[in-house]
Amino acid sequence: MGGKCPHRKVKKRRLSHKTARRGKFLLKADDAVYEELVKLADQGKDAEAKELPVDEDLPGMGQFYCLHCDRYFASESVKDEHYRSKRHKKRVKVMSGPAPHTQLDAELAAGMGMPDNGLKLMSM
């Protein structure tokens, strides 16, 4: 009759899933990252060439940063490993495509923004 509870593993999985999702909300939104990339492209600068200020609170003193993923890394080797990862490659592909949805798009879709009724016609 004794033994371990069969649902014990499920509870562990749920807790680990929760901690994995928590980091997702600490990142910048896609539209904010996209705007930074467009701004750098308009200035003719590369995302890699941007000089970063030294910050002791960030990993690697804030010197190793991935603009596409909005992440700081502890060293150059960790950053290079991240650049070869599947997650980074997908993120670069998303950011190089069409502009992501913005808050204004969401409000218009929900009917909360200004309506787009077309051109105003002259009345008689």
Side-chain angles (χ1 to χ4, degrees):
M1 279 196 117
K4 293 184 179 177
C5 178
H7 302 293
R8 187 175 193 152
K9 292 181 182 176
V10 175
K11 186 174 183 182
K12 285 183 181 177
R13 206 176 319 133
R14 184 177 59 212
L15 292 175
S16 67
H17 176 68
K18 187 176 180 180
T19 56
R21 284 182 45 87
R22 187 177 298 135
K24 192 173 190 177
F25 300 111
L26 300 176
L27 300 176
K28 287 183 191 172
D30 289 349
D31 55 338
V33 172
Y34 186 81
E35 287 175 10
E36 283 188 38
L37 288 170
V38 169
K39 192 187 318 178
L40 284 176
D42 289 343
Q43 295 173 355
K45 295 181 181 176
D46 188 23
E48 301 294 319
K50 186 177 177 185
E51 292 185 19
L52 300 169
V54 175
D55 189 355
E56 294 178 3
D57 296 332
L58 296 172
M61 303 288 281
Q63 296 302 304
F64 310 107
Y65 178 67
C66 175
L67 183 62
H68 295 95
C69 302
D70 186 43
R71 287 188 63 188
Y72 289 93
F73 300 98
S75 67
E76 186 73 31
S77 61
V78 177
K79 184 173 108 174
D80 291 338
E81 185 178 321
H82 164 75
Y83 283 162
R84 291 189 299 268
S85 70
K86 190 174 185 179
R87 176 181 280 175
H88 174 75
K89 290 176 184 176
K90 281 186 177 182
R91 184 82 172 168
V92 170
K93 188 175 181 181
V94 167
M95 290 296 132
S96 63
H101 296 291
T102 61
Q103 182 64 34
L104 179 63
D105 295 337
E107 289 174 358
L108 289 174
M112 296 168 56
M114 295 278 297
D116 184 18
N117 295 331
L119 297 173
K120 201 166 225 183
L121 300 175
M122 293 177 53
S123 60
M124 291 191 189

